[in-house]
Amino acid sequence: MKYEWRKHAPYKTKTKPEYVEVPTQQYLVIAGAGDPNEPDFSEHVGALYSLAYPLKMNFKKFAQTIDWQDQYPYEDYTVFPLEGLWSTTNPEDLTDKASFTYQIMLRQPDFITQEWFAAAIAQAKAKKPHPYLDEVRLVEITDGPAVQILHKGPFDTEPASFAKLDQLCQDLGLTRRGYHHREIYLTDVRKTAPEKAKTILRYFVEKA
């Protein structure tokens, strides 16, 4: 049995804003700063994928050697979509991309351990060293209470979707926790026309 993330929450989010309670989840994470259109951002993303695929393939091979149903819910899984926690050092101008700070990440199944992670690091370094490999961490993150929406279209039109989230917060008596927000990229920006892009936007809330 293979875990296909597209069939599960929260990836089936709709264009209508909604309140959600997001549990603790495990991620490969790397931090950075600056304009995501610059080459350095792509280098950070590359470091994540250089570990995500070895982790997946190593687990799949391992599952073939055991009765995996006794220990694990799946024998294989699809690599999860890229995500980012975004903030800024210039909250007065949220369009100033040079001031962006980010943690980009790829979700990992709960059964991927620190030992599996360390083995993938060693494997990646031996095969093709990457300058940012040592900056990647395997950590748990809890988003908790949040509001989210499926945004369709270019990143530059996201403010319209955030306005819908703001209105939902007003209706529900919620306030936003900080400037940071999460983006989950359901489509590959390298292969998808901007007008066809699909991105889950989420920010974190509490009772007003």
Side-chain angles (χ1 to χ4, degrees), residues 11-207:
Y11 310 106
K12 297 171 72 173
T13 300
K14 298 181 180 180
T15 54
K16 181 180 179 180
E18 61 179 343
Y19 173 84
V20 293
E21 294 271 357
V22 186
T24 300
Q25 296 172 328
Q26 183 170 237
Y27 298 89
L28 293 175
V29 179
I30 188 170
D35 189 335
N37 295 311
E38 296 297 324
D40 189 60
F41 179 77
S42 296
E43 288 292 321
H44 282 75
V45 173
L48 293 177
Y49 281 106
S50 68
L51 296 174
Y53 283 102
L55 278 168
K56 166 187 161 60
M57 296 309 299
N58 289 346
F59 177 77
K60 183 178 180 180
K61 291 177 182 177
F62 171 70
Q64 292 172 351
T65 68
I66 64 169
D67 187 354
W68 59 270
Q69 290 177 317
D70 290 342
Q71 303 179 55
Y72 304 100
Y74 302 95
E75 61 180 331
D76 192 12
Y77 60 92
T78 304
V79 172
F80 286 80
L82 188 69
E83 305 188 28
L85 282 174
W86 293 88
S87 190
T88 179
T89 58
N90 182 17
E92 300 302 320
D93 181 5
L94 298 180
T95 65
D96 179 12
K97 295 181 180 181
S99 298
F100 287 177
T101 61
Y102 55 81
Q103 294 184 73
I104 49 172
M105 61 194 72
L106 290 168
R107 185 179 164 191
Q108 299 297 298
D110 294 341
F111 48 77
I112 297 298
T113 65
Q114 292 293 337
E115 288 74 22
W116 284 92
F117 173 63
I121 288 277
Q123 183 178 349
K125 286 183 175 180
K127 184 176 182 180
K128 187 178 181 181
H130 191 288
Y132 287 126
L133 272 181
D134 287 331
E135 296 185 24
V136 181
R137 300 168 293 131
L138 178 66
V139 299
E140 291 184 340
I141 298 176
T142 305
D143 284 357
V147 290
Q148 66 182 27
I149 190 172
L150 176 63
H151 173 76
K152 294 183 178 181
F155 297 135
D156 288 342
T157 62
E158 286 181 355
S161 290
F162 279 117
K164 294 179 181 179
L165 294 179
D166 292 340
Q167 183 60 55
L168 178 63
C169 286
Q170 183 176 335
D171 295 343
L172 298 180
L174 303 171
T175 58
R176 185 171 178 174
R177 291 184 278 132
Y179 293 107
H180 63 298
H181 71 278
R182 180 181 293 277
E183 299 189 356
I184 305 175
Y185 309 106
L186 302 183
T187 50
D188 188 334
V189 296
R190 301 167 299 176
K191 303 176 182 178
T192 307
E195 63 273 13
K196 295 183 179 181
K198 295 180 180 180
T199 308
I200 295 174
L201 303 178
R202 177 190 299 159
Y203 65 67
F204 317 107
V205 297
E206 59 189 1
K207 286 291 184 180

